[in-house]
Amino acid sequence: MLTGPVHVAGAEPGDRLIVEIEEITLAQDWGWSAIEPGFGIFPDLAPAYESLVVPIDRARRSARLPWGPEVALAPFFGILAVAPSPQGGPVSSVPPGPFGGNVDNRFFRQGARISFPVFCPGALFFAGDGHALQGDGEVCDTALETALNGRFRFTLEKRTAPAAPEIELGELIVTMGFHETLDGAARDATARMLDWICAQTGLTRTEAWRHASLCADLRITQVVNGQKGVHCVLDRRSLIGARPA
């Protein structure tokens, strides 16, 4: 379920659309999680389609799982996107890409500041796929899916489009890679982090590579959306004292 497209006045291809998530609230008192034959990291583990409805305590921001534990919720939007390049033709809402889409990154949460490359006039922003809780990987193909309300602030920077969405959350910088293999996604996410380090400092690309190896973390975003996702996380404070640009 997606809301959009939202037209951003003045946005043109090559621009950077910065989306700040000012607020996320749970919109209903239940969520669901499903398993299905042929899906997830173990496609043969589910004998049949099975969907669980899980009550949500919005006041306590928690849920009691059917197998017993009570878990604290951490809501985020599974899909934040701009319209992809028209040269690629129609794109479904399942695979993520440089435009964002079904990224399923837990950093798409309240307080995040996300930069998207603009591919089409007006950017055409979409949001949806609300998640109350998900682990990195989303290994069974679903999170605790639910409805969310969000409030966003848009800022436009002309001609500074990143190669793919970049996230700022507090002192953390997060770059992303999408590929049919995890190796390819990991390379793309890391390469984009090296790009970011080199743009912010006077480090050579080799020095940035060394710095990322010492100070950055590679995390599996998801393995179930056709295009696999990996994100690279760096605390910008690790660069204090680095040679200036």
Side-chain angles (χ1 to χ4, degrees), residues 59-85:
R60 299 181 65 229
R61 288 172 65 92
S62 67
R64 177 75 64 180
L65 301 178
W67 47 93
E70 183 179 17
V71 292
L73 302 181
F76 71 97
F77 287 96
I79 296 179
L80 296 177
V82 294
S85 171

Side-chain angles (χ1 to χ4, degrees), residues 186-230:
R187 283 192 298 270
D188 288 349
T190 305
R192 288 165 183 159
M193 181 58 73
L194 303 190
D195 292 342
W196 186 90
I197 293 172
C198 290
Q200 301 298 316
T201 69
L203 272 62
T204 67
R205 195 162 184 83
T206 301
E207 289 171 330
W209 183 28
R210 291 181 187 274
H211 188 84
S213 190
L214 297 176
C215 300
D217 295 317
L218 280 179
R219 302 180 185 176
I220 296 174
T221 319
Q222 54 73 31
V223 293
V224 295
N225 293 337
Q227 290 276 81
K228 294 177 171 61
V230 171

Side-chain angles (χ1 to χ4, degrees), residues 117-168:
V118 174
F119 296 99
C120 297
L124 307 180
F125 176 77
F126 293 84
D129 189 25
H131 294 168
L133 186 65
Q134 180 203 291
D136 285 341
E138 199 185 27
V139 294
C140 87
D141 198 38
T142 56
L144 181 54
E145 313 281 338
T146 194
L148 301 177
N149 291 319
R151 186 172 71 241
F152 305 91
R153 180 185 297 273
F154 298 143
T155 305
L156 197 62
E157 289 186 0
K158 303 302 289 183
R159 313 305 302 174
T160 63
E166 297 175 352
I167 306 172
E168 298 175 61

Side-chain angles (χ1 to χ4, degrees), residues 26-29 56-62:
L26 297 158
Q28 62 189 32
D29 59 5
I56 287 175
D57 186 329
R58 284 189 280 176
R60 299 181 65 229
R61 288 172 65 92
S62 67

